[in-house]
Each structure stands twice: as C-alpha cells, then as structure tokens.
Coordinates of all heavy atoms in Angstrom, one line a residue:
M66 N 0.8 -1.2 0.0 CA 0.0 0.0 0.0 C 0.9 1.2 0.0 O 1.9 1.3 0.8 CB -0.9 0.0 1.2 CG -1.8 1.2 1.4 SD -2.7 1.2 2.9 CE -4.1 0.1 2.4
S67 N 0.6 2.2 -0.8 CA 1.4 3.4 -0.9 C 0.9 4.5 0.1 O -0.3 4.6 0.3 CB 1.5 4.0 -2.3 OG 0.2 4.4 -2.7
N68 N 1.8 5.3 0.6 CA 1.4 6.4 1.4 C 1.0 7.6 0.6 O 1.6 7.9 -0.4 CB 2.5 6.9 2.3 CG 2.9 5.8 3.4 OD1 2.0 5.1 3.8 ND2 4.1 5.7 3.7
P69 N -0.1 8.3 0.9 CA -0.5 9.5 0.2 C 0.6 10.6 0.3 O 1.2 10.7 1.3 CB -1.8 9.9 0.8 CG -1.8 9.3 2.2 CD -0.9 8.1 2.1
I70 N 0.7 11.4 -0.8 CA 1.6 12.5 -0.8 C 1.0 13.6 0.1 O -0.2 14.0 -0.1 CB 1.8 13.0 -2.2 CG1 2.5 11.9 -3.0 CG2 2.7 14.3 -2.2 CD1 2.6 12.2 -4.5
P71 N 1.7 14.1 1.1 CA 1.2 15.1 2.0 C 0.9 16.4 1.2 O 1.7 16.8 0.3 CB 2.2 15.3 3.0 CG 3.5 14.8 2.4 CD 3.1 13.8 1.4
N72 N -0.1 17.1 1.6 CA -0.4 18.4 1.0 C 0.4 19.4 1.8 O 0.0 19.9 2.8 CB -2.0 18.7 1.1 CG -2.3 20.0 0.5 OD1 -1.5 20.8 0.1 ND2 -3.6 20.3 0.5
L73 N 1.5 19.9 1.2 CA 2.4 20.8 1.9 C 1.7 22.2 2.1 O 2.2 22.9 2.9 CB 3.7 20.9 1.1 CG 4.5 19.6 1.0 CD1 5.7 19.8 0.2 CD2 4.8 19.0 2.4
G74 N 0.8 22.5 1.3 CA 0.1 23.8 1.4 C -1.0 23.8 2.5 O -1.5 24.8 2.8
A75 N -1.3 22.6 3.0 CA -2.4 22.5 4.0 C -2.1 23.2 5.3 O -2.9 23.7 6.0 CB -2.8 21.1 4.2
N76 N -0.8 23.2 5.7 CA -0.4 23.8 6.9 C 0.9 24.5 6.7 O 2.0 23.9 6.7 CB -0.2 22.7 8.0 CG 0.1 23.3 9.4 OD1 0.3 24.5 9.5 ND2 0.2 22.5 10.4
A77 N 0.8 25.8 6.5 CA 2.0 26.6 6.2 C 2.8 27.0 7.4 O 3.7 27.8 7.4 CB 1.6 27.8 5.4
T78 N 2.4 26.5 8.6 CA 3.0 26.9 9.8 C 4.4 26.3 9.9 O 4.6 25.1 9.7 CB 2.2 26.5 11.1 OG1 0.9 27.1 11.0 CG2 2.9 26.9 12.4
Q79 N 5.4 27.0 10.3 CA 6.7 26.5 10.6 C 7.2 27.1 11.8 O 6.8 28.2 12.3 CB 7.7 26.8 9.4 CG 8.1 28.2 9.3 CD 9.1 28.4 8.2 OE1 9.0 27.7 7.1 NE2 10.1 29.2 8.3
I80 N 8.1 26.4 12.4 CA 8.7 26.9 13.7 C 10.1 27.5 13.4 O 10.9 26.9 12.7 CB 8.9 25.7 14.7 CG1 7.5 25.2 15.1 CG2 9.7 26.2 15.9 CD1 7.5 24.0 15.9
V81 N 10.2 28.8 13.9 CA 11.5 29.5 13.7 C 11.9 30.0 15.0 O 11.2 30.5 15.8 CB 11.3 30.7 12.7 CG1 12.6 31.4 12.5 CG2 10.7 30.2 11.4
R82 N 13.2 29.8 15.3 CA 13.8 30.3 16.6 C 14.6 31.6 16.3 O 15.2 31.7 15.3 CB 14.7 29.2 17.1 CG 14.0 28.0 17.5 CD 14.9 26.9 18.1 NE 15.2 27.3 19.5 CZ 16.2 26.8 20.2 NH1 17.0 26.0 19.6 NH2 16.4 27.2 21.4
Y83 N 14.5 32.5 17.3 CA 15.1 33.8 17.2 C 15.9 34.0 18.5 O 15.5 33.6 19.6 CB 14.1 34.9 17.1 CG 13.2 34.8 15.9 CD1 12.0 34.2 15.9 CD2 13.7 35.3 14.7 CE1 11.2 34.1 14.8 CE2 12.9 35.3 13.5 CZ 11.7 34.6 13.6 OH 10.9 34.5 12.5
N84 N 17.1 34.6 18.3 CA 17.9 35.0 19.4 C 17.8 36.5 19.6 O 18.0 37.3 18.6 CB 19.4 34.6 19.1 CG 20.3 34.9 20.3 OD1 20.5 36.0 20.6 ND2 20.8 33.8 20.8
I85 N 17.5 37.0 20.8 CA 17.3 38.4 21.0 C 18.3 38.9 22.1 O 18.3 38.3 23.2 CB 15.9 38.8 21.5 CG1 14.9 38.2 20.6 CG2 15.7 40.3 21.7 CD1 13.4 38.2 21.2
Q86 N 19.1 39.8 21.8 CA 20.1 40.4 22.8 C 19.4 41.5 23.5 O 18.9 42.4 23.0 CB 21.3 40.9 22.0 CG 22.1 39.8 21.3 CD 22.6 38.7 22.2 OE1 23.3 39.0 23.2 NE2 22.3 37.5 21.9
L87 N 19.4 41.4 24.9 CA 18.8 42.3 25.8 C 19.7 42.7 26.9 O 19.6 42.1 28.0 CB 17.5 41.7 26.3 CG 16.4 41.3 25.3 CD1 15.5 40.2 25.7 CD2 15.6 42.6 24.9
P88 N 20.7 43.5 26.7 CA 21.7 43.8 27.7 C 21.2 44.3 29.1 O 21.8 44.0 30.1 CB 22.6 44.9 27.1 CG 22.3 44.8 25.6 CD 20.9 44.3 25.5
A89 N 20.1 45.0 29.1 CA 19.5 45.5 30.3 C 18.8 44.5 31.2 O 18.5 44.7 32.3 CB 18.5 46.7 30.0
M90 N 18.6 43.3 30.6 CA 17.9 42.2 31.3 C 18.9 41.4 32.1 O 19.6 40.6 31.5 CB 17.1 41.3 30.3 CG 16.4 40.2 31.0 SD 15.6 39.1 29.8 CE 17.0 38.4 28.9
Q91 N 19.1 41.7 33.4 CA 20.2 41.1 34.1 C 19.7 40.4 35.4 O 20.4 39.5 35.9 CB 21.2 42.2 34.5 CG 21.9 42.7 33.3 CD 22.8 41.6 32.6 OE1 23.4 40.8 33.2 NE2 22.7 41.6 31.2
D92 N 18.6 40.7 36.0 CA 18.2 40.1 37.3 C 16.9 39.3 37.2 O 16.3 39.3 36.1 CB 18.1 41.2 38.4 CG 17.1 42.3 38.1 OD1 16.2 42.0 37.3 OD2 17.3 43.4 38.6
A93 N 16.6 38.7 38.2 CA 15.4 37.8 38.2 C 14.1 38.6 37.8 O 13.3 38.1 37.1 CB 15.2 37.1 39.5
D94 N 13.9 39.8 38.4 CA 12.7 40.6 38.1 C 12.7 40.9 36.6 O 11.6 40.9 35.9 CB 12.7 41.8 38.9 CG 12.4 41.6 40.4 OD1 11.8 40.5 40.7 OD2 12.7 42.4 41.2
S95 N 13.8 41.3 36.0 CA 13.8 41.7 34.6 C 13.6 40.5 33.7 O 12.9 40.6 32.7 CB 15.1 42.4 34.2 OG 16.3 41.5 34.4
L96 N 14.1 39.3 34.1 CA 13.9 38.1 33.3 C 12.4 37.8 33.3 O 11.8 37.5 32.3 CB 14.6 36.9 33.9 CG 16.1 36.9 33.8 CD1 16.8 35.9 34.7 CD2 16.6 36.8 32.4
E97 N 11.7 37.9 34.4 CA 10.3 37.7 34.5 C 9.5 38.7 33.7 O 8.5 38.3 33.0 CB 9.8 37.8 36.0 CG 8.4 37.4 36.2 CD 8.1 37.5 37.7 OE1 8.9 37.0 38.5 OE2 7.0 38.0 38.0
Q98 N 9.9 40.0 33.7 CA 9.2 41.0 32.9 C 9.3 40.7 31.4 O 8.4 40.9 30.7 CB 9.7 42.4 33.3 CG 9.2 42.8 34.7 CD 9.8 44.1 35.1 OE1 10.0 45.0 34.2 NE2 10.1 44.3 36.4
V99 N 10.5 40.4 31.0 CA 10.8 40.2 29.6 C 10.0 38.9 29.1 O 9.4 38.9 28.1 CB 12.3 40.1 29.3 CG1 12.5 39.5 27.9 CG2 12.9 41.4 29.5
R100 N 10.0 37.9 30.0 CA 9.3 36.7 29.6 C 7.8 37.0 29.4 O 7.2 36.6 28.4 CB 9.4 35.6 30.7 CG 8.6 34.3 30.4 CD 8.6 33.3 31.5 NE 10.0 32.9 31.9 CZ 10.6 31.9 31.2 NH1 10.0 31.3 30.2 NH2 11.8 31.6 31.6
A101 N 7.2 37.8 30.2 CA 5.8 38.2 30.1 C 5.6 39.0 28.8 O 4.6 38.7 28.1 CB 5.4 39.0 31.3
Q102 N 6.5 39.9 28.5 CA 6.4 40.7 27.3 C 6.4 39.8 26.0 O 5.7 40.0 25.1 CB 7.5 41.7 27.2 CG 7.4 42.9 28.2 CD 6.2 43.8 27.8 OE1 5.8 43.9 26.7 NE2 5.7 44.4 28.8
L103 N 7.4 38.9 26.0 CA 7.6 38.0 24.8 C 6.3 37.1 24.7 O 5.9 36.9 23.6 CB 8.8 37.2 25.0 CG 10.1 38.0 25.0 CD1 11.3 37.2 25.3 CD2 10.3 38.7 23.6
M104 N 5.9 36.5 25.8 CA 4.7 35.7 25.7 C 3.4 36.4 25.3 O 2.6 35.9 24.6 CB 4.5 35.0 27.0 CG 5.6 33.9 27.3 SD 5.5 33.2 29.0 CE 4.0 32.3 28.9
D105 N 3.3 37.7 25.7 CA 2.2 38.5 25.3 C 2.2 38.7 23.7 O 1.1 39.0 23.2 CB 2.3 39.9 25.9 CG 1.8 39.9 27.4 OD1 1.3 38.9 27.8 OD2 2.0 40.9 28.1
H106 N 3.3 38.5 23.1 CA 3.4 38.7 21.6 C 3.4 37.3 21.0 O 3.9 37.1 19.8 CB 4.7 39.5 21.3 CG 4.5 40.9 21.5 ND1 4.8 41.5 22.7 CD2 3.9 41.9 20.8 CE1 4.5 42.8 22.7 NE2 3.9 43.1 21.5
N107 N 2.9 36.3 21.7 CA 2.7 34.9 21.1 C 4.0 34.3 20.7 O 4.1 33.4 19.8 CB 1.8 35.0 19.9 CG 0.4 35.5 20.2 OD1 -0.1 35.1 21.3 ND2 -0.1 36.4 19.4
L108 N 5.1 34.6 21.5 CA 6.4 33.9 21.3 C 6.5 32.9 22.4 O 6.1 33.1 23.6 CB 7.5 34.9 21.3 CG 7.6 35.9 20.2 CD1 8.6 37.0 20.5 CD2 7.8 35.2 18.9
I109 N 7.1 31.7 22.1 CA 7.4 30.7 23.1 C 8.8 30.9 23.5 O 9.7 31.0 22.7 CB 7.3 29.3 22.5 CG1 5.8 29.1 22.0 CG2 7.7 28.2 23.5 CD1 5.7 27.9 21.0
V110 N 9.0 31.1 24.8 CA 10.3 31.4 25.4 C 11.0 30.1 25.6 O 10.7 29.3 26.5 CB 10.2 32.2 26.7 CG1 11.6 32.5 27.3 CG2 9.5 33.5 26.4
D111 N 12.1 29.8 24.8 CA 12.9 28.6 24.9 C 13.9 28.7 26.0 O 14.2 27.8 26.7 CB 13.6 28.3 23.6 CG 12.6 27.9 22.5 OD1 11.5 27.4 22.8 OD2 12.9 28.0 21.3
R112 N 14.6 29.9 26.0 CA 15.7 30.1 26.9 C 15.8 31.5 27.3 O 15.7 32.4 26.4 CB 17.1 29.6 26.3 CG 18.2 29.7 27.3 CD 19.5 29.2 26.7 NE 20.0 30.0 25.6 CZ 20.4 29.6 24.4 NH1 20.4 28.3 24.1 NH2 20.8 30.4 23.5
L113 N 16.0 31.8 28.6 CA 16.0 33.2 29.0 C 17.1 33.3 30.1 O 17.0 32.7 31.1 CB 14.7 33.6 29.6 CG 14.4 35.1 29.8 CD1 14.4 35.8 28.5 CD2 13.0 35.2 30.5
V114 N 18.2 34.0 29.7 CA 19.3 34.1 30.6 C 19.7 35.6 30.6 O 19.3 36.3 29.7 CB 20.6 33.3 30.2 CG1 20.2 31.8 30.3 CG2 21.0 33.6 28.8
P115 N 20.4 36.1 31.6 CA 20.8 37.5 31.6 C 21.4 38.0 30.2 O 22.3 37.3 29.7 CB 21.8 37.6 32.7 CG 21.3 36.6 33.7 CD 20.9 35.4 32.8
G116 N 20.8 39.0 29.7 CA 21.3 39.5 28.4 C 20.8 38.9 27.1 O 21.1 39.4 26.0
E117 N 20.1 37.7 27.2 CA 19.7 37.0 26.0 C 18.4 36.2 26.2 O 18.1 35.6 27.2 CB 20.8 36.0 25.7 CG 20.5 35.2 24.5 CD 21.6 34.2 24.2 OE1 22.0 33.4 25.2 OE2 22.2 34.2 23.1
A118 N 17.6 36.2 25.1 CA 16.4 35.4 25.1 C 16.4 34.6 23.8 O 16.8 35.2 22.7 CB 15.2 36.3 25.1
V119 N 16.0 33.4 23.8 CA 15.8 32.6 22.6 C 14.4 32.2 22.6 O 13.8 31.6 23.6 CB 16.7 31.3 22.6 CG1 16.4 30.5 21.4 CG2 18.2 31.7 22.6
V120 N 13.7 32.6 21.6 CA 12.2 32.4 21.5 C 11.9 31.6 20.2 O 12.7 31.6 19.3 CB 11.5 33.7 21.5 CG1 11.7 34.5 22.8 CG2 11.8 34.6 20.4
T121 N 10.7 31.0 20.2 CA 10.2 30.3 19.0 C 8.9 30.9 18.6 O 8.1 31.3 19.4 CB 10.0 28.8 19.4 OG1 11.3 28.3 19.8 CG2 9.5 28.1 18.2
S122 N 8.8 31.1 17.3 CA 7.5 31.5 16.7 C 6.9 30.4 15.9 O 7.6 29.8 15.1 CB 7.8 32.8 15.9 OG 6.6 33.1 15.2
A123 N 5.7 30.1 16.1 CA 5.0 29.1 15.3 C 3.8 29.6 14.7 O 2.8 29.0 14.5 CB 4.7 27.9 16.2
T124 N 3.8 30.9 14.3 CA 2.6 31.5 13.7 C 2.5 31.4 12.2 O 1.5 31.8 11.7 CB 2.6 33.0 14.1 OG1 3.8 33.6 13.5 CG2 2.7 33.2 15.6
G125 N 3.5 30.9 11.6 CA 3.5 30.8 10.1 C 3.9 32.1 9.4 O 3.9 32.2 8.2
S126 N 4.2 33.1 10.2 CA 4.7 34.4 9.6 C 5.7 35.0 10.6 O 5.8 34.6 11.7 CB 3.5 35.3 9.4 OG 2.9 35.7 10.6
V127 N 6.4 36.0 10.1 CA 7.4 36.6 10.8 C 6.7 37.4 12.0 O 5.8 38.1 11.7 CB 8.3 37.6 10.0 CG1 9.3 38.3 10.8 CG2 9.0 36.8 8.9
P128 N 7.3 37.3 13.2 CA 6.7 38.1 14.3 C 6.7 39.6 14.0 O 7.6 40.0 13.2 CB 7.6 37.7 15.5 CG 8.2 36.4 15.1 CD 8.4 36.4 13.6
D129 N 5.9 40.3 14.6 CA 5.8 41.8 14.4 C 7.0 42.4 15.3 O 6.7 42.8 16.4 CB 4.5 42.3 14.8 CG 4.3 43.8 14.6 OD1 5.3 44.5 14.2 OD2 3.2 44.3 14.8
W130 N 8.2 42.3 14.8 CA 9.3 42.8 15.5 C 9.3 44.2 15.9 O 9.7 44.6 17.0 CB 10.6 42.5 14.8 CG 11.0 41.0 14.8 CD1 11.0 40.2 13.7 CD2 11.2 40.2 15.9 NE1 11.3 38.9 14.1 CE2 11.4 38.9 15.5 CE3 11.3 40.4 17.3 CZ2 11.7 37.8 16.3 CZ3 11.6 39.4 18.1 CH2 11.8 38.1 17.6
E131 N 8.7 45.1 15.1 CA 8.5 46.5 15.5 C 7.7 46.6 16.8 O 8.1 47.3 17.7 CB 7.9 47.3 14.4 CG 7.8 48.8 14.6 CD 7.3 49.5 13.5 OE1 7.4 49.1 12.3 OE2 6.8 50.6 13.7
A132 N 6.6 45.9 16.9 CA 5.8 46.0 18.1 C 6.4 45.3 19.3 O 6.4 45.8 20.4 CB 4.4 45.3 17.8
I133 N 7.1 44.2 19.0 CA 7.8 43.5 20.1 C 8.9 44.4 20.7 O 9.1 44.5 21.9 CB 8.3 42.1 19.6 CG1 7.2 41.2 19.3 CG2 9.3 41.5 20.7 CD1 7.6 40.0 18.5
K134 N 9.8 44.9 19.8 CA 10.9 45.7 20.2 C 10.4 47.0 20.9 O 11.0 47.5 21.9 CB 11.8 46.1 19.1 CG 12.6 44.9 18.6 CD 13.5 45.2 17.4 CE 14.3 44.0 17.0 NZ 15.2 44.4 15.9
D135 N 9.3 47.6 20.4 CA 8.7 48.8 21.1 C 8.2 48.4 22.5 O 8.5 49.2 23.4 CB 7.6 49.3 20.2 CG 7.0 50.6 20.8 OD1 7.8 51.5 21.0 OD2 5.8 50.7 20.9
A136 N 7.6 47.3 22.7 CA 7.1 46.9 24.0 C 8.2 46.6 24.9 O 8.2 47.1 26.1 CB 6.2 45.7 23.9
L137 N 9.3 46.0 24.5 CA 10.5 45.7 25.3 C 11.2 47.0 25.7 O 11.6 47.2 26.8 CB 11.4 44.8 24.6 CG 11.0 43.4 24.4 CD1 11.9 42.6 23.4 CD2 11.0 42.6 25.8
K138 N 11.3 48.0 24.7 CA 11.9 49.2 25.0 C 11.1 50.0 26.0 O 11.7 50.6 27.0 CB 12.0 50.0 23.7 CG 12.8 51.3 23.9 CD 12.9 52.0 22.5 CE 13.7 53.3 22.7 NZ 13.9 54.0 21.4
R139 N 9.8 50.0 25.9 CA 8.9 50.7 26.9 C 9.0 50.1 28.3 O 8.9 50.8 29.3 CB 7.4 50.7 26.4 CG 7.1 51.7 25.3 CD 5.6 51.9 25.2 NE 4.8 50.6 25.2 CZ 4.5 49.9 24.2 NH1 4.8 50.2 23.0 NH2 3.8 48.8 24.4
A140 N 9.3 48.8 28.3 CA 9.5 48.2 29.6 C 10.9 48.4 30.2 O 11.1 48.0 31.3 CB 9.2 46.7 29.5
G141 N 11.8 49.0 29.4 CA 13.1 49.3 29.9 C 14.1 48.2 29.5 O 15.3 48.2 30.0
Y142 N 13.8 47.4 28.5 CA 14.7 46.3 28.0 C 14.8 46.4 26.5 O 14.4 45.5 25.8 CB 14.2 44.9 28.5 CG 13.9 44.9 30.0 CD1 12.6 45.0 30.5 CD2 15.0 44.9 30.9 CE1 12.4 45.0 31.8 CE2 14.7 44.9 32.2 CZ 13.4 45.0 32.7 OH 13.2 45.0 34.1
P143 N 15.5 47.4 26.0 CA 15.6 47.5 24.5 C 16.4 46.3 24.0 O 17.5 45.9 24.5 CB 16.3 48.8 24.3 CG 17.0 49.1 25.6 CD 16.2 48.5 26.7
A144 N 15.9 45.8 22.9 CA 16.6 44.7 22.1 C 17.7 45.4 21.3 O 17.4 46.3 20.5 CB 15.7 43.9 21.3
T145 N 18.9 44.9 21.4 CA 20.0 45.5 20.6 C 20.3 44.8 19.4 O 20.9 45.3 18.4 CB 21.3 45.6 21.5 OG1 21.7 44.3 21.9 CG2 21.1 46.6 22.7
H146 N 19.9 43.5 19.3 CA 20.2 42.7 18.2 C 19.2 41.5 18.2 O 19.1 40.8 19.2 CB 21.7 42.2 18.2 CG 22.2 41.6 17.0 ND1 22.3 42.3 15.8 CD2 22.6 40.3 16.7 CE1 22.8 41.5 14.8 NE2 22.9 40.3 15.3
T147 N 18.7 41.2 17.0 CA 17.8 40.0 16.9 C 18.1 39.3 15.6 O 18.3 39.9 14.5 CB 16.3 40.5 16.7 OG1 16.0 41.3 17.8 CG2 15.3 39.4 16.7
T148 N 18.4 38.0 15.8 CA 18.7 37.1 14.6 C 17.9 35.8 14.7 O 17.4 35.4 15.7 CB 20.2 36.8 14.6 OG1 20.5 36.1 15.9 CG2 21.1 38.0 14.5
T149 N 17.9 35.1 13.6 CA 17.3 33.8 13.6 C 18.4 32.9 14.2 O 19.6 33.1 14.1 CB 17.0 33.2 12.2 OG1 18.1 33.3 11.4 CG2 15.8 34.0 11.6
D150 N 17.9 31.9 14.9 CA 18.8 31.0 15.7 C 18.9 29.7 14.9 O 17.9 29.0 14.7 CB 18.3 30.7 17.1 CG 19.3 30.0 18.0 OD1 20.3 29.6 17.5 OD2 19.0 29.9 19.2
D151 N 20.1 29.3 14.5 CA 20.3 28.1 13.6 C 20.7 26.9 14.4 O 21.2 25.9 13.9 CB 21.3 28.3 12.6 CG 20.9 29.4 11.6 OD1 19.7 29.5 11.3 OD2 21.8 30.1 11.1
E152 N 20.5 26.9 15.8 CA 20.8 25.7 16.6 C 20.2 24.5 16.1 O 19.0 24.4 15.8 CB 20.5 26.0 18.1 CG 21.5 26.8 18.8 CD 21.1 26.9 20.3 OE1 20.3 26.1 20.8 OE2 21.6 27.8 20.9

C-alpha cells in the first residue's frame, strides 16, 4: 500500500527560533518581565538568561518585531540585536 503524498500547502506553519540580545535584562525581576512581554506577543520562550532570550515563533509568519521591540523598550529592556537561531 502506498502512502499518500502530503499536502504541503495545507499547513504553512513553521517553527522558527530567534535570538534576542537584551543587555539591560540582568536580574530575576527583569527576566520575569521580559518573559511576560515576549509571551504577550505569542512567542514561546525557549531560553532566558541575563542579556539574552531565545524564542520560538510558530505563527506561520514573521513576528511583528517592530511591536515586540517597542514593547520591550517601553518596559526598559531594549533589544540591541535580533537574529534567527540556527541551533
């Protein structure tokens, strides 16, 4: 019996990981605040350590980085560098 060919257009969602540099995020309170901000923007927080966040987006489109960075900056944690994470 043959397996049917999957319909690749049926689910265009893909998972992409991003690395965000946040130099002002250094203590436990700031880690908690940044985690909340990232989750509010539908990002899954994979790793959060002082100065750095690794998040996953599974929305099928690029996250709204302008809105995310604006929210982080307003909270006192400006993102200095954001890249895709190839781990």
Side-chain angles (χ1 to χ4, degrees):
M66 177 184 281
S67 66
N68 291 329
I70 297 172
N72 180 354
L73 298 178
N76 184 356
T78 301
Q79 73 177 37
I80 294 173
V81 180
R82 294 180 79 197
Y83 298 94
N84 184 295
I85 308 167
Q86 298 298 307
L87 300 152
M90 180 184 67
Q91 292 297 318
D92 59 26
D94 288 337
S95 64
L96 292 168
E97 186 177 316
Q98 291 176 31
V99 168
R100 179 185 299 277
Q102 289 289 333
L103 295 170
M104 291 173 64
D105 284 348
H106 285 90
N107 300 314
L108 295 170
I109 299 165
V110 179
D111 291 336
R112 184 176 69 227
L113 196 62
V114 296
E117 178 183 56
V119 176
V120 298
T121 299
S122 172
T124 61
S126 63
V127 175
D129 185 352
W130 286 115
E131 185 175 334
I133 294 166
K134 288 179 179 183
D135 186 50
L137 289 167
K138 185 176 181 180
R139 283 193 319 265
Y142 307 104
T145 59
H146 193 64
T147 303
T148 59
T149 56
D150 190 353
D151 295 329
E152 278 186 19

